[in-house]
Amino acid sequence: MKPSRAGTTENISVSMPAELVSELRSRTGRRGLSSYVTEAVRHQLAMDGLAEIVASHEEEHGALTEQEVEAAHRELFGEENAERGAA
C-alpha cells in the first residue's frame, strides 16, 4: 500500500555522488526522482526504528535467539522466506 501524498512538502538540497544521481535519474526519470528518494528515506527511517526496538529489547532481555529471529521473519515475510532471513 502506497502512503498518501497528503500534507505539505518542502524543497531541500542534498549532495550525492554524481554517479549515484545519474543512476537514480536513469531509473526514475527527472520527475520520479523525488518520489524515489522519499520512499528510500521512509524505508531507512523504518529500518532505524526497527533497529532501535531491537536494541531496546536486547538491552532488557539479552540478544535475540535464532528462533526469535526466524519467528519474526516468518511473521513479517511468510513461511517460505523464514530460513533466508535468519542467515
Side-chain angles (χ1 to χ4, degrees):
M1 182 169 138
K2 280 188 145 182
S4 70
R5 293 192 52 143
T8 61
T9 61
E10 182 177 338
N11 288 332
I12 63 168
S13 176
V14 297
S15 298
M16 290 186 202
E19 65 275 3
L20 185 59
V21 174
S22 177
E23 186 173 348
L24 276 169
R25 286 191 173 135
S26 72
R27 290 180 179 270
T28 65
R30 251 191 197 303
R31 298 182 89 107
L33 190 116
S34 289
S35 294
Y36 191 93
V37 171
T38 297
E39 290 309 309
V41 170
R42 276 195 180 107
H43 176 79
Q44 186 60 51
L45 289 171
M47 294 301 98
D48 292 349
L50 181 57
E52 291 168 4
I53 291 168
V54 169
S56 176
H57 175 84
E58 288 184 333
E59 186 176 312
E60 187 173 334
H61 303 285
L64 292 169
T65 66
E66 187 175 323
Q67 293 79 16
E68 289 171 320
V69 172
E70 287 173 5
H73 200 273
R74 273 193 302 277
E75 187 171 329
L76 289 169
F77 303 109
E79 194 72 35
E80 65 278 357
N81 295 315
E83 286 198 26
R84 185 175 55 189

